[in-house]
Amino acid sequence: MSRWAPLAALLMALGLSACASLGDMVAPGSAAAPLSPEAAASAAQAAARRPQLEIEADSALKPVLLRSLDLARAVASPDADTINELEWARLIAVAPEQAQQALQTEGLFEAQVRVERASESPLRLKLIVTPGEPVRVGRLTLEVQGELADLAEAGDATAQALKAKLQAQWPLKPGVPLRMSDWADAKNAVLALLRAQGYASASWAGTGAQIDPAQRESRLFLVADSGPLYRAGGIDVEGLFSISSTAFRPWPICRRAAH
């Protein structure tokens, strides 16, 4: 089996985060009217008895962890104090794998994760993340097909400049850490640029990313289909009685260019 693993498989994983405590502790809070001293004391005692989870990892990873971990959601649940020991054991057991899968979407394929019990009653848990080195962009192939490619090959200076601009403005250069959110944003930016330059139906003919975790390197392959170039066309005006149609002639209307 090839050592190259398709990054597309990671798209099913959720995002990950770390060095932070949930609250920095995870526990549900609520906004309510001021409580009496007795009620406030009772609420504080109840909160102290609730399970808590502390996350020890880089703060930039914390939001991804909170979205990804069943354990974090369970601790934050209003029913957390009713969860039995068997279910807590299951949640603790699957947390490291869930965290590692989520961290891969941040380019962290070597992350080590463990959960420690700081106390049993009340339950106090600590999730500890050692992220390791990120996978970085190694080689990039960005090609264009469609009318833009045809015009550029025919020597059209505008088309050639646009092709060069697509390459120059691609943000994921070799050496940059590969994160799924950045990968998606970069692809959207290419299509946005093409559409803004008159290729309104631009789309991706194909994209892919391959990961070599051992080398901490990724290969990116992209082929953009520009589609046709849309140009301003004529205007047909009907149904006017008191306004001359010449008032509308300056308005630019775009249509597909004739070939």
Side-chain angles (χ1 to χ4, degrees):
M1 182 176 179
S2 170
R3 65 176 183 172
W4 292 97
L7 185 60
L10 301 176
L11 291 172
M12 300 301 295
L14 298 174
L16 205 191
S17 268
C19 212
S21 310
L22 295 185
D24 251 12
M25 307 292 284
V26 171
S30 60
L35 300 175
S36 67
E38 295 79 7
S42 177
Q45 291 174 358
R49 292 191 298 268
R50 291 182 55 79
Q52 293 186 0
L53 171 65
E54 179 184 357
I55 294 181
E56 185 177 299
D58 188 279
S59 59
L61 299 174
K62 177 181 176 181
V64 189
L65 285 168
L66 295 179
R67 293 193 302 267
S68 306
L69 299 177
D70 290 341
L71 180 60
R73 287 189 285 271
V75 169
S77 168
D79 301 323
D81 53 357
T82 67
I83 297 175
N84 60 42
E85 175 56 32
L86 184 62
E87 178 63 5
W88 282 121
R90 185 193 70 81
L91 292 168
I92 292 169
V94 301
E97 183 178 358
Q98 289 181 342
Q100 288 169 333
Q101 289 177 347
L103 284 169
Q104 288 179 2
T105 68
E106 298 295 302
L108 300 170
F109 285 77
E110 298 179 341
Q112 300 297 315
V113 184
R114 70 181 191 274
V115 179
E116 295 181 353
R117 289 182 181 243
S119 69
E120 295 294 337
S121 183
L123 182 62
R124 298 290 184 267
L125 303 172
K126 178 183 288 188
L127 185 135
I128 302 170
V129 176
T130 304
E133 290 297 318
V135 166
R136 300 180 183 275
V137 176
R139 189 171 72 186
L140 168 67
T141 301
L142 174 57
E143 299 178 353
V144 178
Q145 65 184 37
E147 187 171 357
L148 174 60
D150 296 339
L151 290 173
E153 186 175 350
D156 185 284
T158 301
Q160 292 174 344
L162 179 54
K163 282 190 65 177
K165 188 174 183 179
L166 291 174
Q167 295 283 348
Q169 292 191 356
W170 176 260
L172 297 179
K173 306 293 186 183
V176 172
L178 180 63
R179 300 180 179 89
M180 293 311 308
S181 58
D182 295 340
W183 168 243
D185 290 345
K187 291 187 291 183
N188 290 337
V190 168
L191 295 184
L193 177 57
L194 286 171
R195 291 166 183 170
Q197 296 301 315
Y199 298 92
S201 58
S203 62
W204 288 110
T207 66
Q210 291 181 318
I211 303 296
D212 183 352
Q215 298 298 320
R216 305 189 187 109
E217 183 179 272
S218 64
R219 293 179 178 178
L220 307 182
F221 306 89
L222 307 100
V223 180
D225 186 346
S226 71
L229 175 61
Y230 288 71
R231 299 177 175 88
I235 303 175
D236 294 325
V237 181
E238 298 179 356
L240 295 179
F241 298 99
S242 59
I243 301 176
S244 171
S245 63
T246 58
F248 297 91
R249 295 301 180 188
W251 291 11
I253 304 296
C254 291
R255 68 179 182 183
R256 179 172 175 170
H259 294 281

